[in-house]
Amino acid sequence: MTGIEINNKEEKKTEKSSVKKKISFQTPKGMRDLLPEEYVFWDKALSAASDIADFYDFGRIETPVLEHSALFSHGVGMGTDIVEKEMYILKTKGGDSLALRPESTAPVMRSFIEHGMSHLPQPVKLWYFGPHFRHENPQAGRYRQLYQVGFEIIGGEPDPIFDAEIIITAVRFVEKMKIKKILLEINSIGCRQCRNAYKKKLQDFYRKTTASASKRKNRLVCKDCERRLELNPLRLLDCKDTNCAELRESAPSILDSICSPCREHFKEVLEFLDIVKIPYALNPYLVRGLDYYNRTVFEIFTEGGGGALGGGGRYDYLAEMIGGKNTPAVGVALGIDRIVNFLKEKEINYEPKRKERVFIAHVGDAAKRKAFALIEELYKNGIKTSSALGKDSLQAQLKVADRLNCPIALILGQKEVYEETIIIRDMKTGTQENVPTGKVAEEIKRKLYGK
Ligand code: AMP
């Protein structure tokens, strides 16, 4: 198995050189910290996904971050970039070869088989949200630790209505993230029979054209495509190299080659999309980079949004490829990093929930103790607090309250401790009033929530 061995030489070299130099650590290449400002978007994505999943009746699943690497070589396919070049693989002390999951469709199907979910009412609808790992070349919108949300419909019949349902679920999720101009590209890559016949046609076309070109010492396709021609010819169609893209214009189209049951299936998927008025564009070059797909494949873009925000398709053979029985299935994965990047570029912001937060300020040691206890009292009343209890100066504390946009500050000084009262300060107007300590929770609820 190829892939990236964890603790590779490159990392060992940096370890050695960091001993001599002053030690300083940064996130590994292609990986990043998600800081609180960024996490507002992540929280929004998770809650949007959870709402959509609840509406369309998907149950949440969490599979381990590590899986046996063979799951991906069998499921995703040896000829794919993910398995061939991008997996982080580690050997355990027991000698197992494990991979950081590069995607979750194969793990979810593994779980479906392992837990006998074929005995549940079919199909089973599952969704996930979490980090995935691919050793790709980092660039805009391409990370080595990437977050995906995914929806899968597994089992039952290979009914085209489920393909449409998955697409609708994905579109509704993207809409809920406030992305408006959604572009859906769709294609069918047929079944085992018609796809194999098409692959041969494609290979014949490429072999003939590239052979006559090489006689003229002319290279028509890139090095990767020369390999793909033998290993995974469908991938010749979605190569981004300009020469390859030019040549494919004259290649035979897959939509002319699929068999009539596949054609009928595809037609019905499109009809279901028409019923719910989801617009789409046919793209006969769309094949997707993973081996497990058959029939419907699709990708979701937004205007001016760079790469795909998500993609998916039908994968009826995956269960058999990883040792299960024939199980029709269809799913989608959406890239949270890309969706968030797009939202930030467009300056679409989600309000952090600051409005309901009360700031606790103190003057003096006795008041500090009382403030510390007050926070717990407010916790029991469901009131969120912020504070800067390490600071002594009231002015410095109120500055923090201002920066945090807290609408109300509660101030405790020596006098208030003695009299068992608290000052409630309106941070906007600066007006203050004294209330008995026992009434403070009630008073804040009235001010913040009008209760
Ligand atoms: P895939 O699993 O390759 O079909 O990818 C599904 C979606 O995940 C893509 O449409 C992207 O939005 C996102 N994605 C894939 N690879 C990366 C990456 N390296 N960095 C960030 N997002 C990614």
Side-chain angles (χ1 to χ4, degrees):
M1 158 118 29
T2 49
I4 307 304
E5 295 283 338
I6 286 182
N7 289 332
N8 60 18
K9 279 186 201 145
E10 200 183 301
E11 276 165 24
K12 280 193 183 136
K13 232 199 282 170
T14 38
E15 254 172 45
K16 261 191 199 163
S17 51
S18 66
V19 175
K20 281 185 220 143
K21 287 191 220 143
K22 187 171 169 274
I23 292 181
S24 85
F25 293 109
Q26 283 165 353
T27 47
K29 193 173 165 193
M31 302 194 178
R32 62 206 175 119
D33 299 318
L34 298 175
L35 303 179
E37 308 86 82
E38 180 97 9
Y39 229 97
V40 178
F41 291 91
W42 249 253
D43 281 342
K44 174 69 192 170
L46 181 57
S47 82
S50 170
D51 287 352
I52 294 292
D54 183 41
F55 183 84
Y56 290 107
D57 203 14
F58 287 77
R60 188 163 179 187
I61 183 169
E62 177 95 35
T63 60
V65 174
L66 284 169
E67 293 275 354
H68 287 282
S69 20
L71 173 67
F72 301 107
S73 49
H74 285 271
V76 178
M78 280 307 282
T80 61
D81 284 353
I82 287 184
V83 170
E84 218 176 43
K85 302 183 197 160
E86 297 168 2
M87 280 213 292
Y88 285 87
I89 294 173
L90 61 93
K91 288 261 182 294
T92 66
K93 284 185 182 154
D96 285 336
S97 171
L98 301 183
L100 280 168
R101 63 180 180 201
E103 60 95 62
S104 274
T105 300
V108 169
M109 184 58 97
R110 192 258 316 125
S111 180
F112 180 94
I113 299 166
E114 187 172 334
H115 297 285
M117 289 190 222
S118 59
H119 298 298
L120 299 173
Q122 303 291 295
V124 176
K125 296 165 81 176
L126 300 167
W127 74 284
Y128 60 83
F129 187 107
H132 297 78
F133 303 85
R134 296 181 187 176
H135 196 273
E136 297 194 69
N137 259 344
Q139 47 187 285
R142 200 169 281 283
Y143 304 98
R144 290 182 175 176
Q145 177 169 339
L146 56 130
Y147 284 76
Q148 286 185 338
V149 57
F151 300 91
E152 317 281 357
I153 299 181
I154 306 178
E157 302 302 318
D159 194 313
I161 202 162
F162 297 130
D163 307 47
E165 199 179 333
I166 276 293
I167 292 171
I168 293 163
T169 306
V171 168
R172 295 289 176 248
F173 169 73
V174 177
E175 283 172 351
K176 213 170 168 73
M177 291 302 291
K178 292 198 196 165
I179 295 180
K180 294 213 171 75
K181 296 203 169 124
I182 299 171
L183 312 168
L184 168 68
E185 291 191 0
I186 191 164
N187 192 20
S188 174
I189 55 169
C191 62
R192 271 180 186 141
Q193 283 75 28
C194 59
R195 188 165 29 159
N196 278 342
Y198 175 69
K199 274 185 187 170
K200 275 193 86 123
K201 240 196 218 175
L202 202 61
Q203 277 173 323
D204 285 349
F205 166 80
Y206 275 95
R207 281 195 188 120
K208 255 190 219 151
T209 34
T210 51
S212 56
S214 69
K215 270 188 207 147
R216 288 178 267 119
K217 297 209 176 351
N218 196 1
R219 173 176 272 155
L220 286 185
V221 292
C222 69
K223 272 216 143 102
D224 275 343
C225 279
E226 278 175 1
R227 262 183 328 103
R228 286 176 186 141
L229 179 54
E230 303 312 321
L231 213 58
N232 195 351
L234 278 191
R235 296 294 317 278
L236 288 160
L237 295 179
D238 72 353
C239 182
K240 304 284 177 285
D241 181 277
T242 26
N243 285 341
C244 302
E246 206 174 291
L247 184 60
R248 79 172 176 208
E249 300 277 325
S250 33
S253 162
I254 193 158
L255 284 177
D256 296 334
S257 306
I258 57 177
C259 61
S260 53
C262 286
R263 191 182 305 277
E264 189 54 30
H265 189 275
F266 190 45
K267 197 172 133 249
E268 284 185 46
V269 174
L270 301 182
E271 281 167 3
F272 282 122
L273 293 177
D274 290 337
I275 290 174
V276 288
K277 298 192 169 53
I278 300 267
Y280 52 81
L282 296 184
N283 176 357
Y285 303 132
L286 184 64
V287 292
R288 314 269 300 130
L290 305 99
D291 267 5
Y292 50 59
Y293 288 117
N294 66 305
R295 292 192 164 170
T296 316
V297 287
F298 63 90
E299 276 185 337
I300 292 172
F301 298 84
T302 182
E303 237 173 60
L309 300 180
R314 176 158 285 285
Y315 52 95
D316 295 340
Y317 308 131
L318 174 61
E320 284 175 337
M321 285 155 77
I322 59 170
K325 59 180 188 202
N326 182 312
T327 309
V330 57
V332 61
L334 296 125
I336 302 302
D337 308 76
R338 289 213 191 146
I339 290 176
V340 169
N341 285 355
F342 177 77
L343 294 173
K344 283 162 95 184
E345 266 169 38
K346 295 278 163 234
E347 293 183 22
I348 298 175
N349 282 313
Y350 298 110
E351 277 281 299
K353 285 191 181 144
R354 280 266 160 223
K355 275 190 227 134
E356 300 164 4
R357 216 164 262 280
V358 172
F359 194 86
I360 313 293
H362 70 285
V363 185
D365 274 351
K368 186 171 180 172
R369 284 194 199 100
K370 200 89 195 225
F372 192 58
L374 176 66
I375 290 172
E376 295 315 298
E377 201 46 48
L378 294 178
Y379 164 77
K380 285 179 199 149
N381 279 281
I383 298 169
K384 293 179 206 162
T385 57
S386 282
S387 55
L389 293 177
K391 292 190 193 298
D392 289 334
S393 133
L394 179 62
Q395 204 191 1
Q397 292 176 65
L398 291 182
K399 234 183 193 167
V400 176
D402 240 0
R403 283 198 61 182
L404 295 178
N405 276 334
C406 295
I408 291 173
L410 298 180
I411 306 171
L412 277 158
Q414 306 283 28
K415 181 164 165 275
E416 286 72 32
V417 171
Y418 180 72
E419 289 176 354
E420 300 211 339
T421 60
I422 288 177
I423 297 170
I424 301 185
R425 179 186 173 91
D426 184 315
M427 291 298 295
K428 224 178 190 171
T429 60
T431 52
Q432 301 192 162
E433 58 181 305
N434 260 67
V435 293
T437 313
K439 292 230 158 115
V440 71
E442 197 184 308
E443 192 58 20
I444 297 228
K445 280 185 191 166
R446 197 180 59 73
K447 281 188 187 301
L448 285 183
Y449 319 118
K451 281 185 192 164

